[in-house]
């Protein structure tokens, strides 16, 4: 009886998520600052929040009922207005855009809609941890390739993490169905260059491979870097699915609305998965996002345009935390984008006793002990690597800096106080 009702093999052993584990850790030890999960601890723009309350309490009763399954009409129209100029192509809102339950479901629909049993999917490490699971759910075979840090000392930026071109080319073969490219990258903050994307695109065209381009951090790119959309490269419209996120765009991660855009032939597969899984997403939230986009599009050419001002808002936070980490014994990678910092903690090894932490990987032991001793919660990057490559993440911890300035200041104080105390021992 027990064997008959066990978890299907395609889901593995049902391993506990790092998020489940570290949310429980935070609940149990109550660290003073949570720089673990990637969400702001302050409000989104006022006009975004008012758009939702005005929608829910407005005169139109249909605003709180089911809407079009593939995306609220007003939202897909405004998404087309947002992206069409950016990709130099007039997107068809009805057939080339799908609204999903967060970018998470856009990834799910893209992978489940295209990957068949035995298909190989290339995944660049470190990676958003759901990629691996979704590929296996579809019966696919993930093939992993790590970004390698070419510089080991001094000032390190996310540009110093690179792909081995020979190794990448060696993964492509007749079984390769898809490659997942996350740019800007989570957790490193790497902005893939035109040269890097062109190399990947040429391999996709040579082997007739689909590119799933996860671009949810598209608006958080720090000058002078520029985000390049894979779909804009020659002949990549035919083979690229691009994923975006309202949660990342407007700092409302709890609203769980994302989207994908692609040519109609590719999009059809996503629609089939979506209509038989989620079917339709929350109507008032979609309406609110559409209103927020309207508001922003009306000031697209001004300094206040949120898609441009967000990076300017985040850069001082990034720079503050980089200095705080550096001053307190870490060697951080300066991100070119996003709101995470991956920092090498190994110079602190002689100050922190990890012997009572029983996890297999050092970064799990370090981040747990650091939360308990210092009061600052970070995430272990080994969670974002395949089993065979988890050792590559063990010397690092991931910190999130889209937080209130006072919480970043508290982080600096807690680390400084801890370091001073340890130095006296």
């Amino acid at each position: 009886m027990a064997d008959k009702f066990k978890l299907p093999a395609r889901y593995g052993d049902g391993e506990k998520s790092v998020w489940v584990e570290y949310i429980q850790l935070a609940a149990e030890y109550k660290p003073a600052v949570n720089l673990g999960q990637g969400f702001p601890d302050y409000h989104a723009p006022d006009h975004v929040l008012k758009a939702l309350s005005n929608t829910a309490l407005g005169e139109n009763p249909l605003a709180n009922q089911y809407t079009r399954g593939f995306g609220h009409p007003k939202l897909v129209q405004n998404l087309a207005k947002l992206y069409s100029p950016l990709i130099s192509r007039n997107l068809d809102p009805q057939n080339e855009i799908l609204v999903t339950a967060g970018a998470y479901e856009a990834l799910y629909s893209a992978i489940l809609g295209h990957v068949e049993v035995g298909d190989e999917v290339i995944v660049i490490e470190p990676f958003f941890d759901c990629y691996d699971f979704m590929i296996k759910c579809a019966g696919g075979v993930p093939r992993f390739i790590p970004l390698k840090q070419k510089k080991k000392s001094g000032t390190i930026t996310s540009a110093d993490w690179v792909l081995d071109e020979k190794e990448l080319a060696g993964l492509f073969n007749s079984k390769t169905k898809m490659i997942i490219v996350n740019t800007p990258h989570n957790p490193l903050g790497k902005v893939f260059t035109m040269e890097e994307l062109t190399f990947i695109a040429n391999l996709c065209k040579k082997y007739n491979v689909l590119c799933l381009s996860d671009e949810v951090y598209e608006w958080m790119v720090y000058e002078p870097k520029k985000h390049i959309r894979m779909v804009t490269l020659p002949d990549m419209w035919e083979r690229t699915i691009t994923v975006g996120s309202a949660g990342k765009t407007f700092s409302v991660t709890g609203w769980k609305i994302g989207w994908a855009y692609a040519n109609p032939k590719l999009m059809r597969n996503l629609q089939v998965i979506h209509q038989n899984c989620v079917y339709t997403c929350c109507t008032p939230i979609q309406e609110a996002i559409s209103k927020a986009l309207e508001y922003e599009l009306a000031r697209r050419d001004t300094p206040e345009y949120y898609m441009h001002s967000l990076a300017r808002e985040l850069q001082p936070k990034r720079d503050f935390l980089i200095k705080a980490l550096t001053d307190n014994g870490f060697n951080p990678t300066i991100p070119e984008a996003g709101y995470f910092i991956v920092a090498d903690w190994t110079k602190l090894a002689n100050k922190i006793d990890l012997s009572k932490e029983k996890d297999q990987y050092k970064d799990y032991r370090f981040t747990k002990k650091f939360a308990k001793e210092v009061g600052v919660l970070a995430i272990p990057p080994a969670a974002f690597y395949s089993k065979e490559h988890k050792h590559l993440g063990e010397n690092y911890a991931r910190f999130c800096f889209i937080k209130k300035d006072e919480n970043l200041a508290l982080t600096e104080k807690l680390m400084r106080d801890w370091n001073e105390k340890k130095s006296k021992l």
Side-chain angles (χ1 to χ4, degrees):
M1 183 71 76
D3 286 342
K4 186 173 184 179
F5 300 130
K6 68 180 182 181
L7 187 70
R10 64 182 177 275
Y11 299 120
D13 296 326
E15 296 88 350
K16 185 165 59 174
S17 159
V18 66
W19 312 115
V20 172
E21 186 174 358
Y22 274 68
I23 288 171
Q24 179 59 37
L25 179 74
E28 185 175 350
Y29 288 96
K30 297 179 174 55
V33 186
N34 184 347
L35 303 188
Q37 285 184 281
F39 56 79
D41 60 1
Y42 53 90
H43 277 304
D46 193 52
H47 76 87
V48 178
L49 303 180
K50 286 182 178 177
L52 180 56
S53 61
N54 291 341
T55 296
L57 299 173
E59 294 181 358
N60 182 7
L62 296 181
N64 292 296
Q65 308 305 325
Y66 293 133
T67 188
R68 175 177 173 268
F70 297 146
H72 190 51
K74 190 174 176 181
L75 177 54
V76 293
Q77 289 163 12
N78 284 327
L79 287 170
K81 292 176 184 176
L82 174 66
Y83 286 110
S84 291
L86 299 175
I87 66 171
S88 301
R89 179 180 297 274
N90 289 323
L91 283 169
D92 177 354
Q94 299 300 311
N95 299 301
E96 295 178 344
I97 300 174
L98 174 68
V99 176
T100 57
Y104 213 95
E105 193 240 320
L107 294 165
Y108 180 87
S109 295
I111 293 169
L112 273 290
H114 285 277
V115 176
E116 298 191 62
V117 175
D119 283 344
E120 294 184 1
V121 180
I122 297 171
V123 178
I124 298 168
E125 297 175 299
F127 58 87
F128 187 35
D129 57 329
C130 70
Y131 295 168
D132 182 22
F133 190 81
M134 291 175 181
I135 293 164
K136 290 175 181 175
C137 285
V141 180
R143 301 288 304 278
F144 299 101
I145 177 170
L147 289 161
K148 295 178 180 176
Q149 188 179 329
K150 65 181 181 181
K151 188 178 178 184
K152 297 296 183 182
S153 60
T155 300
I156 297 168
T157 77
S158 52
D160 293 315
W161 293 73
V162 297
L163 288 171
D164 182 316
E165 291 186 350
K166 184 177 179 181
E167 185 180 355
L168 178 61
L171 290 180
F172 280 78
N173 61 75
S174 60
K175 295 180 182 179
T176 309
K177 173 65 70 71
M178 176 186 288
I179 181 171
I180 304 177
V181 178
N182 177 205
T183 183
H185 185 272
N186 170 20
L188 294 174
K190 177 180 175 65
V191 179
F192 281 75
T193 65
M194 178 62 79
E195 291 73 22
E196 289 171 318
L197 292 177
T198 298
F199 186 82
I200 295 170
N202 287 340
L203 287 169
C204 289
K205 288 180 279 189
K206 179 179 178 180
Y207 290 92
N208 193 27
V209 167
L210 182 65
C211 179
L212 177 54
S213 191
D214 180 351
E215 302 183 15
V216 299
Y217 296 96
E218 60 191 322
W219 309 114
M220 304 172 209
V221 179
Y222 307 113
E223 293 183 349
K225 295 295 180 178
K226 300 291 183 185
H227 172 52
I228 301 167
R229 292 172 169 78
M230 177 64 89
V231 75
T232 63
L233 273 64
D235 303 318
M236 287 304 287
W237 169 249
E238 291 75 17
R239 61 180 68 259
T240 301
I241 300 165
T242 306
V243 172
S245 164
K248 300 297 189 295
T249 298
F250 288 120
S251 299
V252 284
T253 59
W255 287 17
K256 287 300 292 180
I257 292 291
W259 48 77
Y261 60 87
N263 73 66
K265 185 176 180 181
L266 296 178
M267 184 57 71
R268 174 61 183 155
N269 294 24
L270 279 73
Q271 290 172 336
V272 169
I273 301 300
H274 175 83
Q275 73 185 11
N276 290 293
C277 176
V278 174
Y279 171 59
T280 190
C281 296
C282 178
T283 304
I285 292 181
Q286 290 191 74
E287 174 69 15
I289 294 165
S290 71
K291 289 178 179 177
L293 283 171
E294 273 186 2
Y295 183 94
E296 293 299 341
L297 289 170
R299 58 178 186 174
R300 191 172 203 157
D301 299 322
T302 73
E304 290 75 29
Y305 182 48
Y306 190 63
M307 284 70 162
H308 292 161
S309 66
L310 179 58
R312 293 197 303 270
E313 171 190 321
L314 290 176
Q315 188 163 346
K317 296 176 183 291
R318 178 199 70 170
D319 295 346
F320 180 90
L321 188 55
I322 286 287
K323 185 177 187 305
L325 289 167
T326 303
D327 289 348
N328 286 285
F330 290 89
N331 189 11
T333 293
I334 302 172
E336 302 165 302
Y339 47 55
F340 299 111
I341 295 171
V342 170
D344 187 324
W345 57 266
T346 51
K347 286 191 292 184
L348 296 172
N350 64 339
K351 293 185 176 183
I352 190 164
D353 180 9
L354 305 182
S355 61
K356 293 183 180 179
E357 300 295 334
K358 303 305 180 185
D359 291 84
Q360 180 179 356
Y361 301 106
K362 289 186 295 182
D363 56 331
Y364 276 78
R365 298 199 296 271
F366 174 81
T367 51
K368 288 180 179 180
K369 187 68 171 179
F370 199 71
K372 296 170 187 177
E373 276 198 13
V374 185
V376 176
L377 182 67
I379 292 292
F384 310 131
Y385 284 89
S386 60
K387 189 171 183 179
E388 58 266 37
H389 291 150
K390 284 189 181 298
H391 65 280
L392 296 174
E394 285 190 277
N395 291 340
Y396 302 91
R398 191 195 80 168
F399 298 85
C400 176
F401 59 84
I402 188 169
K403 305 295 179 182
K404 294 176 183 176
D405 290 344
E406 54 262 42
N407 284 332
L408 296 176
L410 177 57
T411 299
E412 191 276 335
K413 181 181 185 302
L414 290 169
M415 291 194 298
R416 177 164 35 87
D417 290 349
W418 177 78
N419 258 303
E420 290 175 356
K421 179 181 176 181
K422 289 291 182 177
S423 298
K424 293 175 182 177
L425 295 178

